[in-house]
Amino acid sequence: MALTLSDVDKLARLSRLSLSEAERNNMLAELNHVFELVEKMQEVDTNQVEPMAHPHELALRLRNDIVTETDQHQAIQSCAPLVDKDMYLVPKVIE
């Protein structure tokens, strides 16, 4: 599948990019190169390859689930203009 300059223009518009003529041509060549690589990868026979959860065989380090931070909610809420029952009170925006 090869892209055209009109495809690049559509992608640029969707991406909110303004491309010069040279940039459009360069982008067209780069995107077509990416599609060529994808087509080559799709030709590889992967029927005998088992799916992997992760490309590296590793074990995660586990740690105890303990609280390491002190409760600072009173200090954090002290700078709020209005607080009621540990909730921030804000002006009504939608009526």
Side-chain angles (χ1 to χ4, degrees):
M1 172 185 165
L3 295 177
T4 63
L5 280 175
S6 66
D7 295 325
V8 172
D9 292 338
K10 289 176 188 174
L11 289 171
R13 190 181 72 250
L14 289 170
S15 304
R16 307 269 197 270
L17 296 175
S18 175
L19 301 176
S20 68
E21 190 65 30
E23 290 172 325
R24 287 175 63 222
N25 291 324
N26 186 33
M27 187 65 63
L28 176 63
E30 288 183 19
L31 288 172
N32 279 328
H33 182 67
V34 169
F35 279 109
E36 289 171 13
L37 290 173
V38 170
E39 286 175 2
K40 284 182 184 177
M41 289 191 302
Q42 287 178 338
E43 293 173 4
V44 176
D45 180 23
T46 58
N47 290 330
Q48 302 301 319
V49 179
E50 293 185 34
M52 301 183 301
H54 196 278
H56 301 290
E57 300 278 338
L58 57 93
L60 297 176
R61 296 181 305 169
L62 300 178
R63 63 174 174 80
N64 293 333
D65 190 15
I66 57 172
V67 176
T68 57
E69 296 289 324
T70 58
D71 182 14
Q72 299 180 13
H73 110 275
Q74 287 294 336
I76 293 170
Q77 287 192 335
S78 67
C79 63
L82 295 171
V83 177
D84 182 31
K85 299 178 186 170
D86 295 334
M87 293 185 204
Y88 297 104
L89 300 178
V90 296
K92 188 175 185 178
V93 207
I94 301 175
E95 293 186 33

